[in-house]
Amino acid sequence: MNFDTLELSKSMRRLLLLLLILPMALLVMGVYGGLMQALFRAGIVTSDPFVGGEYYRGLTLHGVINALVFTTFFAVAFGHAVITKTLNKALNERWAWTSGILMIVGTVMTALTIFAGRADVLYTFYPPLQADFFFYLGLVLVVVGSWIAFFTWIPPYLEWRRENPGTKTPLAAVGIFVTFIVWFIASIAVAVEIIVLIMPWVLGWVDGINAMLARTLFWMFGHPLVYFWLLPVYVMYYTMLPRLAGGKLYSDTAGRLVFFMFIVFSIPVGTHHQLMDPGISSEWKLIQGFFTFMVALPSLITAFTLAASLEYAGRKRGGKGLFGWMFKLPYFDTSRWLFAYFITGLILFIFGGISGIINASYQMNAVVHNTAWLPGHFHMTVAGPVILGMLGMSLYMVAKLTGKKIRMKKMVLAVPYVYSVGLLMMSWGLMRGGLQGMPRRTNTGLTYSNPDSALYRADWQLFTDVVVVGASIMFLAMVVYFVAFFLTLVYRRAEEPSMSFGWTESVHESPTPVRWLHNFRPWVIVALVLIFVTYAPVMYDVTTSNYGTSPRYGPDSPAPRVSPSPQSEDLPPPSSSDAEAGDERAERLDLLIE
Amino acid sequence: METQTPTDETVEEIDDASFFPKGALAFFILLIVFFAILWFSMYFEILARQ
Ligand code: HEM
Ligand SMILES: [Cu+2]
């Protein structure tokens, strides 16, 4: 399958480097924010000057940079490279750059509002919490930029199809297109949320917002978002990992089936994030819960297919018996350091996957909902396989795109293992604490982990401490990674830059396309029908419920904001001695209570 | 670089047509059993909490 003969142009290489390096620099701050979160929660730090002393500002930064910005930039850069290489076609550079610039401008805009303290709304920005207008505008630009990137891949693909009738679309290209089809459909929901509901409300054109409708639109986007994170990494697992391991992909057809299943099942599941929300009838929550189990299927197929591919590699390397192959894989081979980033992600995903299935089980969700269990779970997905795959591939691509030699290779190889140990500790602490009721998104350092507080919970202390140790280990591993990444960049180039991926062959592969796995369209149609069937009643519920609309709130006060400006000036802090303002606040609170 | 140059010493040639992933199958079954154990332990946890 060595079709990638076309080199990326110099301008495309530059664009890709920009898209990989800029978010990596931001990730340094994002990861620092993660460590701070753990230290805040344990009461070890009480103020982080870097984010104006604010716990929620740090948490917003952490979620937005790590989960929204870094992942989206990576997916676009990786997509550009995979599409160019698999189809052997150059992309429209002007549009590719337009997309990249929009994303960068949007990111800068959003980041500035967070740093300026005008957007302490967390990465889910649930109304009625209100951020600065430019926080939302920045996010819209990032999303629109990523759409444009996707659109630049469509004409060359259609051309490729015309030129290669009866040839299968390369699996990696299928994966990238599926990633962005899911992303495009899903982000329409969040675009509607932001442009139709939030922006007019933030600008003061309307006074109230239907918070439940906004949340529903957010999660219609928010769940597929997790597949947008995961699918590029699945592309690596299917098309690169088997060869790195020294073998072949067990089944190319299984890979195609898996990707197409994600088009269908990624989206009609969003209300599993709203199982405890009022205003949506339980039948529909249950049905979307059921589809969540369906969307676990492609991941189970993946678990088997990848295990079979690794078994093939392990046997070839002399592994005997039922499990001997597991011990023959190149875990510590520096010339295949990328393998370590993939295999650790896969192992973590075993735990991330089962905890996700528990979350989606309606009744069990009541036990874990909004507890620390949740960040415990999703760090083993998004901060596990997703980030490890993306870190590994970013370094690989940056080295290829610049023609530089990777520095500190042994350390680079050790990073994913050390990081994973830290992650398992942190997630264990968060999850066990969560089962005892320890809340997420809470600066527990002030209360539950503060021995001087009446709320102190001595029984949670162990969990909080383990979180601190785990988070510190993760942080150290990441620091080593960042040093290696930027050191690689500053050295002189060692060879001509040349982007290439080592594509895998397959054990089982039909030479001609399997008809029902050849076209995207039928799968997209089924997906749209399913989204309509599962979401129409939910939308009906949230738009007809009679809880009314909500005014604008800031994180600084329990009373609504008077002016649409998100600045805290319109309300003095509670400790203010200004009696008049205090009266005004009390009045407004009275109004609220009525 | 890296992934471009497979430096495998093939210890055993594998016939693709007859390759059957029995280890992967066993692994998969164990995985499902493991998932079931965790899931049911959570389930009984809820029952215990009423
Ligand atoms: C050194 C690495 C990391 C550490 C120590 C860390 C630590 C934490 C902690 C302790 C929380 C929970 C805060 C709370 O609920 O009170 C958290 C939340 C979160 N983390 Fe991380 N994290 C790390 C890396 C990542 C990465 C790589 C991602 C994504 C790619 C990520 C995504 C998130 C998200 C989305 C949240 C939830 C934010 C929210 O509730 O609004 N984290 N992190
Ligand atoms: Cu979800």
Side-chain angles (χ1 to χ4, degrees):
Chain A
M1 216 168 50
N2 259 320
F3 31 74
D4 56 3
T5 46
L6 184 75
E7 257 324 316
L8 291 177
S9 71
K10 196 166 177 193
S11 141
M12 278 308 276
R13 283 205 308 267
R14 283 216 186 109
L15 173 64
L16 262 54
L17 283 171
L18 194 60
L19 294 177
L20 292 171
I21 296 170
L22 185 93
M24 191 64 79
L26 284 174
L27 190 66
V28 177
M29 287 185 256
V31 162
Y32 163 81
L35 176 67
M36 281 299 137
Q37 244 51 255
L39 299 183
F40 262 116
R41 293 184 60 102
I44 296 172
V45 300
T46 47
S47 173
D48 175 8
F50 187 67
V51 286
E54 292 286 339
Y55 167 78
Y56 284 110
R57 196 161 305 155
L59 192 52
T60 306
L61 203 65
H62 180 71
V64 170
I65 289 184
N66 296 12
L68 299 181
V69 172
F70 181 79
T71 49
T72 308
F73 274 69
F74 176 84
V76 166
F78 185 57
H80 279 320
V82 168
I83 296 296
T84 310
K85 298 305 279 186
T86 51
L87 303 182
N88 247 338
K89 292 215 174 285
L91 305 176
N92 181 322
E93 289 179 11
R94 188 165 305 155
W95 282 112
W97 271 96
T98 308
S99 129
I101 289 169
L102 277 179
M103 288 170 63
I104 292 170
V105 171
T107 300
V108 171
M109 209 181 263
T110 296
L112 286 180
T113 61
I114 300 175
F115 278 118
R118 295 171 68 102
D120 298 338
V121 292
L122 304 184
Y123 85 105
T124 43
F125 53 86
Y126 292 142
L129 265 186
Q130 177 209 12
D132 193 290
F133 178 77
F134 290 100
F135 172 83
Y136 304 104
L137 185 63
L139 291 181
V140 169
L141 292 183
V142 172
V143 170
V144 171
S146 70
W147 286 354
I148 293 176
F150 173 39
F151 299 155
T152 62
W153 307 334
I154 297 174
Y157 177 59
L158 295 177
E159 199 179 291
W160 182 92
R161 286 286 292 246
R162 272 195 305 277
E163 290 165 6
N164 299 276
T167 310
K168 285 191 299 188
T169 305
L171 185 57
V174 171
I176 292 296
F177 275 117
V178 168
T179 308
F180 278 80
I181 289 172
V182 168
W183 172 246
F184 182 66
I185 300 176
S187 48
I188 291 175
V190 80
V192 171
E193 185 203 356
I194 294 183
I195 296 170
V196 179
L197 294 182
I198 295 183
M199 282 183 162
W201 171 76
V202 166
L203 290 171
W205 298 347
V206 294
D207 283 328
I209 192 165
N210 181 339
M212 282 303 306
L213 175 59
R215 282 169 74 88
T216 305
L217 286 168
F218 181 84
W219 284 115
M220 201 172 164
F221 157 79
H223 186 82
L225 172 68
V226 312
Y227 293 111
F228 176 67
W229 298 335
L230 192 60
L231 285 169
V233 179
Y234 270 29
V235 170
M236 301 171 209
Y237 288 168
Y238 274 100
T239 64
M240 300 169 200
L241 169 69
R243 170 158 171 182
L244 263 175
K248 296 179 184 177
L249 176 63
Y250 181 60
S251 166
D252 170 87
T253 310
R256 281 163 209 273
L257 174 65
V258 162
F259 283 125
F260 283 126
M261 284 175 82
F262 276 117
I263 300 185
V264 173
F265 294 119
S266 288
I267 305 173
V269 298
T271 53
H272 70 210
H273 292 264
Q274 299 176 277
L275 291 174
M276 300 298 127
D277 277 13
I280 303 172
S281 44
S282 358
E283 294 86 339
W284 296 102
K285 291 181 181 171
L286 191 64
I287 286 180
Q288 296 211 12
F290 166 76
F291 280 118
T292 307
F293 283 81
M294 297 299 290
V295 79
L297 279 182
S299 289
L300 289 176
I301 300 175
T302 301
F304 174 74
T305 311
L306 295 182
S309 313
L310 293 176
E311 177 175 0
Y312 183 98
R315 288 199 187 285
K316 221 173 124 204
R317 293 160 150 263
K320 297 264 180 279
L322 213 47
F323 295 122
W325 51 274
M326 288 186 180
F327 303 98
K328 293 283 180 192
L329 298 173
Y331 300 103
F332 301 109
D333 181 347
T334 40
S335 69
R336 289 155 197 267
W337 58 274
L338 195 50
F339 179 82
Y341 285 77
F342 294 163
I343 195 75
T344 46
L346 281 170
I347 294 168
L348 291 167
F349 202 36
I350 293 177
F351 302 98
I354 180 58
S355 51
I357 291 176
I358 287 172
N359 300 341
S361 306
Y362 201 159
Q363 288 88 341
M364 291 188 196
N365 188 276
V367 179
V368 299
H369 200 87
N370 271 350
T371 69
W373 165 285
L374 259 289
H377 146 72
F378 66 65
H379 280 82
M380 290 193 297
T381 55
V382 68
V386 171
I387 210 73
L388 285 168
M390 291 185 175
L391 291 176
M393 188 48 64
S394 292
L395 182 55
Y396 177 85
M397 283 177 68
V398 161
K400 289 278 182 194
L401 288 166
T402 53
K404 292 185 181 180
K405 243 181 75 169
I406 291 168
R407 300 287 147 180
M408 300 166 50
K409 264 233 185 106
K410 285 209 176 89
M411 301 286 247
V412 165
L413 177 72
V415 162
Y417 295 108
V418 176
Y419 177 89
S420 300
V421 169
L423 179 52
L424 285 172
M425 290 179 75
M426 181 175 93
S427 282
W428 179 85
L430 288 170
M431 292 173 84
R432 277 306 311 270
L435 286 179
Q436 310 294 317
M438 189 162 93
R440 73 181 284 203
R441 291 184 159 177
T442 303
N443 185 355
T444 53
L446 298 176
T447 51
Y448 306 116
S449 24
N450 176 5
D452 299 331
S453 160
L455 293 170
Y456 180 61
R457 289 286 301 262
D459 55 329
W460 294 353
Q461 197 58 54
L462 170 70
F463 308 133
T464 313
D465 293 343
V466 174
V467 169
V468 169
V469 176
S472 310
I473 297 175
M474 290 165 79
F475 179 74
L476 281 180
M478 286 299 303
V479 169
V480 173
Y481 173 88
F482 290 133
V483 171
F485 183 89
F486 290 106
L487 209 57
T488 299
L489 280 177
V490 297
Y491 270 83
R492 228 185 250 229
R493 84 166 33 150
E495 55 187 14
E496 268 307 295
S498 156
M499 188 60 235
S500 60
F501 297 107
W503 306 113
T504 290
E505 285 176 78
S506 310
V507 180
H508 294 288
E509 184 154 20
S510 70
T512 53
V514 180
R515 260 187 69 212
W516 51 283
L517 294 176
H518 192 44
N519 292 316
F520 292 92
R521 193 174 297 138
W523 298 86
V524 173
I525 292 171
V526 175
L528 293 177
V529 170
L530 217 53
I531 293 168
F532 182 79
V533 172
T534 52
Y535 260 109
V538 174
M539 290 301 169
Y540 176 82
D541 280 353
V542 292
T543 44
T544 55
S545 295
N546 55 2
Y547 40 67
T549 58
S550 172
R552 293 169 285 270
Y553 286 84
D556 40 23
S557 160
R561 283 171 165 159
V562 257
S563 84
S565 157
Q567 271 204 312
S568 39
E569 285 128 44
D570 62 311
L571 276 181
S575 59
S576 161
S577 57
D578 188 334
E580 229 171 280
D583 287 350
E584 193 193 326
R585 178 191 301 276
E587 239 168 68
R588 236 179 284 137
L589 269 176
D590 283 347
L591 275 178
L592 256 188
I593 293 162
E594 277 166 30
Chain B
M1 216 197 331
E2 283 81 42
T3 53
Q4 285 298 299
T5 48
T7 51
D8 298 305
E9 359 68 83
T10 299
V11 177
E12 214 164 294
E13 280 302 336
I14 299 185
D15 172 26
D16 282 8
S18 65
F19 169 70
F20 180 78
K22 57 178 197 279
L25 197 62
F27 164 78
F28 188 72
I29 292 168
L30 287 178
L31 183 75
I32 298 297
V33 170
F34 177 63
F35 278 11
I37 292 173
L38 288 183
W39 195 89
F40 278 105
S41 63
M42 270 298 277
Y43 184 70
F44 289 117
E45 176 70 25
I46 325 181
L47 292 188
R49 290 184 188 187
Q50 304 266 315

